[in-house]
Amino acid sequence: MNYTVIFDELLNDPRLAAFAAEARNALPTWFTDQQQAAGDEIRRLGEAASTLQGAPLTPLAPQDLPDWIRLSLIDALVWWLLDTATTCRHSPSPYSPKPVFAVAWKPGLIVCAACTGLLYPPRNSIASATCDGCGHVCAGPATDDGIYTASVILGLLWFDVGLCTDCRQTYPGHGPR
Ligand SMILES: [Zn+2]
Ligand SMILES: [Zn+2]
């Protein structure tokens, strides 16, 4: 069994909240304070982005996400935690909690808030129009075939996926079109 599957099962385990609370109590205060500050920061970014896009920030349980989104997000977390991800030059570390960013279309890359530019393909490129769910290259909003970027926040990780109109229907957090 690989770590992504183990982590996925853990997220679905009803005992997780109690376990996480116990783990938090065992951690030094400087670490939990930093983690709290980083959590507040990523929540603020999420709220700002949702206001900008006019799409509400929707609380979701991990199991509400389509499997492919949940598992690619967990892949990103696991690679980061195991130190097998490629990072930006600031080497964001799980041992020094700060918001981190990853995207479905560049698996294995984790960057800090200053380096999110590394994640996004050039505007109007094929890559920027490709759905991460099914591989469809969207023609553009003029033909009602636009691409929609969905952002999922889990803990300190911000994870973006590009969705075509069809795949967007399977995404529970989708806001107004
Ligand atoms: Zn960086
Ligand atoms: Zn699609």
Side-chain angles (χ1 to χ4, degrees):
M1 199 186 270
N2 72 29
Y3 286 109
T4 297
V5 176
I6 294 172
F7 204 102
D8 189 36
E9 287 189 352
L10 188 68
L11 282 179
N12 280 308
D13 194 314
R15 294 166 297 181
L16 178 65
F19 172 76
E22 206 169 301
R24 250 193 313 275
N25 286 336
L27 290 165
T29 313
W30 67 262
F31 185 89
T32 49
D33 283 355
Q34 202 177 336
Q35 200 173 35
Q36 173 85 41
D40 291 347
E41 188 181 340
I42 202 158
R43 242 187 324 277
R44 268 198 305 276
L45 288 172
E47 277 155 15
S50 81
T51 306
L52 208 64
Q53 292 174 1
L57 208 55
T58 313
L60 296 172
Q63 55 271 31
D64 293 339
L65 292 167
D67 289 348
W68 72 269
I69 296 183
R70 191 181 69 254
L71 293 173
S72 46
L73 181 159
I74 294 173
D75 266 345
L77 263 183
V78 165
W79 289 327
W80 186 48
L81 293 172
L82 295 181
D83 202 17
T84 52
T86 302
T87 66
C88 63
R89 66 195 171 90
H90 304 106
S91 309
S93 158
Y95 303 108
S96 171
K98 297 235 170 55
V100 284
F101 300 79
V103 292
W105 56 87
K106 280 198 182 169
L109 179 63
I110 299 267
V111 303
C112 77
C115 295
T116 53
L118 295 174
L119 297 173
Y120 297 96
R123 254 174 186 282
N124 302 322
S125 61
I126 301 257
S128 74
T130 305
C131 173
D132 293 305
C134 67
H136 171 66
V137 180
C138 302
T143 51
D144 212 14
D145 188 22
I147 190 145
Y148 170 78
T149 305
S151 303
V152 185
I153 299 172
L154 178 69
L156 302 181
L157 175 69
W158 179 297
F159 189 74
D160 275 356
V161 291
L163 300 172
C164 70
T165 306
D166 284 349
C167 290
R168 195 179 167 187
Q169 302 310 316
T170 67
Y171 176 69
H174 68 86
R177 286 191 63 188

